[in-house]
Amino acid sequence: MLSTLSITNYALIDSLVVGFDKGFTVITGETGAGKSILLGGLSLVLGKRADLSSLRVKNEKCIIEGLFKIDTYGLQQFFEENDLDYDINTVIRREILPSGKSRAFINDTPVTLDVLSRLGENLIDIHSQHQTIQLTENDFQLKLVDALAENQKRLAVYVKGLKTYRKAQKELEGLIEVQTTANKEQDYNSFLLTELEKAPLKEGIVEALEEEYEQLNNVELIMEQLSKGDQLFNDEQIGVLPLVTEMRQSLSKLVEFGSNYKELYQRVQSVLIELDDVNSELQRLQEGVEVNPDALKEVNGKLQLLYNLLKKHNVNEVSELISIKNELSNKLFETAHLDEKIALKTRELQDMESILEEQSVVLREKRNTVIPELQSKLKSDLTQLGMPNASFEISLSPTDTFTITGMDELLFLFTANRGGSYGELKKVASGGELSRIMLVIKAILAKYEKLPTIMFDEIDTGVSGEISNRMADIMKDMSADLQVFSITHLPQVASKGNHHFKVFKTEGAERTMTNMKKLTNDERVVELAHMLDGKDLSDSALAHAKQLLNPSLKV
């Protein structure tokens, strides 16, 4: 329910704050007074795109704010899905900046126009003559049939299953696409994997091979230097070991003369032990060094293979080649098992299709049950609205396609004349006829569904007398279950409202402004009298106005 509407700096509105109640609210005013401005501002709150020309004062921002009571609308999930704070008294604010940019907020949280528009669809249904095109759409017509058939829960289960089915369809398409691509690349990937598997891939292998290559490639130099080292260690005249051994023997004769001599002796002994160990390692290395051109060739081959693979795969480390090998292995494994996955997903889809088809049949049976009742109800209600010969031919045809409404195509044919040919609504019904049909349909829907606030914008255009009375009665009856607004030029409709607002212009010294006020009972009498008799207030017009407001009065 719309509780409050606040508009600042919009078109001819300087500042306007108005509160609304539940029930039937009528809005009147002379042509050009600004009723369309009010609707325009409300449309911005509901997600319509902004226009810089809407600013009254161009260098100030426009702010339009609506307070909605939403506790009965079941919108908690919408707020959760869009990460919004849920409040039963929800505030929607729209700002249009002088720069031309606009911003939208739901409970002070910035939102996109798409989110705002989707929420707005659940809050207010603004019905104008050009929007009767919705009446000619198959989905809307099916919504009416489903309301009478009480198919809402069944349809919700079907739609949930359909979403899962479509998701599975996309997954299957993705698997088939992957398989097609994988099949094209399989031979090449297999070749690459084999090539990598033959290479000695392990951490640090390049550095180890490079070291081994340098040793094999410089074996003669190594042998020469190791031999020279052995000679320097063991030569009888100048060898390191004989000299240090001799030094140790000399110092051994001094150890008894003091701790300082003993310490020196021990240090030389330690040096000798270390030198002896170095000599043993040197001899071991010398024995292991040999000229081996075959080993050199093998090491060089491994290095060149690794160098080529690094260059081929455009990487710098063997660890990266290992990762590539693992990825190729996984990809080939997945390719080998794609047929199995595709077969499994196909069977899953077939099971889902069977369930959806069964649910569609149930929906169709329930729809066919209520179609005669709907045809009768529409004919009866339209007769009261001055269309006594209006009738409908409504039928269902099964389709092979899953749609959001099931597997039915609804044929909704109409004729306004007795004996006339039936045709599609959009082709055979006039604008005035569509408006009356829409009113009747909205009234039927209101009894079966929790509809949002409805605002009828001059739906009574082109009718008068008893028909306008009946249209007003229908809207008033609807307001027992939901908040209903009617913008009208007819006193018969205006008199039926629980609340009556007037839109009017005031002329200032420099500018014209649009305002809106709630009328008292006396003010309503005057307003209705003006609507009946123009600017001049005659006694008969006032009396007639009083009788409209209180039919029990005698004139």
Side-chain angles (χ1 to χ4, degrees), residues 294-518:
D294 291 336
L296 177 62
K297 184 178 180 181
E298 182 182 349
V299 169
N300 184 54
K302 290 179 180 179
L303 274 175
Q304 293 306 316
L305 174 61
L306 290 171
Y307 290 153
N308 290 338
L309 287 173
L310 288 168
K311 183 178 180 180
K312 183 174 185 176
H313 292 279
N314 195 29
V315 294
N316 298 316
E317 302 291 338
V318 171
S319 60
E320 295 175 279
L321 288 177
I322 294 172
S323 296
I324 292 171
K325 184 185 76 170
N326 293 336
E327 288 174 9
L328 287 169
S329 178
N330 292 335
K331 189 177 290 186
L332 287 169
F333 178 83
E334 289 292 327
T335 301
H337 291 76
L338 274 175
D339 285 340
E340 183 180 339
K341 286 187 175 181
I342 289 172
L344 185 64
K345 185 60 69 174
T346 301
R347 288 195 297 272
E348 185 182 330
L349 276 169
Q350 289 170 345
D351 292 341
M352 290 182 185
E353 286 175 1
S354 297
I355 293 172
L356 289 173
E357 286 171 357
E358 291 173 4
Q359 292 171 339
S360 298
V361 169
V362 174
L363 288 170
R364 185 179 306 124
E365 290 173 350
K366 296 294 182 181
R367 288 165 176 167
N368 278 321
T369 300
V370 301
I371 282 176
E373 177 190 348
L374 175 59
Q375 291 177 151
S376 175
K377 176 67 174 169
L378 289 172
K379 179 175 179 58
S380 171
D381 288 352
L382 288 173
T383 296
Q384 297 181 57
L385 294 183
M387 298 172 63
N389 298 315
S391 65
F392 291 84
E393 270 193 5
I394 305 172
S395 61
L396 286 174
S397 301
T399 67
D400 297 327
T401 306
F402 294 119
T403 70
I404 201 71
T405 56
M407 299 182 70
D408 292 331
E409 184 176 338
L410 183 70
L411 196 59
F412 205 93
L413 301 180
F414 169 76
T415 180
N417 305 305
R418 180 175 297 162
S421 299
Y422 287 92
E424 295 180 44
L425 275 172
K426 60 185 175 183
K427 294 180 179 179
V428 300
S430 67
E433 289 168 342
L434 284 174
S435 290
R436 278 178 268 182
I437 294 170
M438 178 61 94
L439 177 60
V440 166
I441 286 176
K442 293 281 187 181
I444 294 173
L445 282 172
K447 296 182 183 300
Y448 293 91
E449 288 192 342
K450 185 61 183 178
L451 297 179
T453 292
I454 293 182
M455 181 169 287
F456 292 108
D457 181 17
E458 300 184 3
I459 195 171
D460 48 26
T461 298
V463 299
S464 58
E466 185 53 35
I467 295 174
S468 64
N469 265 321
R470 180 54 190 151
M471 292 182 79
D473 287 337
I474 291 175
M475 288 185 276
K476 191 172 181 67
D477 289 344
M478 290 173 66
S479 71
D481 300 305
L482 68 151
Q483 186 184 38
V484 178
F485 289 86
S486 177
I487 297 174
T488 181
H489 286 293
L490 296 181
Q492 294 89 342
V493 174
S495 66
K496 298 290 178 70
N498 302 113
H499 321 284
H500 188 158
F501 288 83
K502 180 178 181 180
V503 178
F504 58 96
K505 283 182 180 179
T506 57
E507 302 289 340
E510 299 180 355
R511 58 187 182 182
T512 302
M513 291 181 291
T514 289
N515 286 288
M516 181 178 183
K517 66 173 292 188
K518 185 174 184 179

Side-chain angles (χ1 to χ4, degrees), residues 139-265:
D139 286 356
F140 181 80
Q141 295 166 353
L142 273 171
K143 181 180 179 181
L144 174 63
V145 175
D146 283 331
L148 269 71
E150 297 182 348
N151 266 340
Q152 292 90 337
K153 290 183 178 179
R154 299 183 192 94
L155 195 57
V157 173
Y158 166 84
V159 169
K160 185 178 180 180
L162 180 61
K163 287 180 179 178
T164 305
Y165 172 76
R166 287 178 175 173
K167 182 181 177 182
Q169 272 187 319
K170 289 184 179 180
E171 290 172 355
L172 177 60
E173 291 168 2
L175 287 172
I176 293 172
E177 185 178 344
V178 169
Q179 186 186 50
T180 302
T181 304
N183 288 339
K184 291 178 181 178
E185 298 176 350
Q186 186 171 13
D187 290 342
Y188 182 59
N189 287 339
S190 180
F191 167 76
L192 291 177
L193 179 61
T194 301
E195 194 175 46
L196 288 169
E197 286 176 338
K198 289 180 179 179
L201 301 182
K202 61 181 180 180
E203 294 285 349
I205 185 65
V206 172
E207 293 78 6
L209 287 171
E210 287 175 340
E211 182 179 297
E212 186 178 357
Y213 176 82
E214 288 300 318
Q215 292 177 4
L216 290 168
N217 196 42
N218 294 281
V219 66
E220 293 180 355
L221 176 63
I222 293 171
M223 292 174 66
E224 178 184 339
Q225 297 304 315
L226 288 175
S227 177
K228 184 176 180 181
D230 181 60
Q231 182 180 357
L232 289 171
F233 261 100
N234 298 294
D235 188 273
E236 292 183 2
Q237 301 294 324
I238 60 170
V240 174
L241 284 176
L243 290 174
V244 176
T245 301
E246 186 178 346
M247 181 184 296
R248 183 190 64 175
Q249 290 174 348
S250 298
L251 291 174
S252 67
K253 300 173 181 179
L254 303 177
V255 295
E256 296 180 357
F257 300 132
S259 60
N260 54 338
Y261 295 114
K262 185 178 181 180
E263 181 181 349
L264 184 60
Y265 168 78

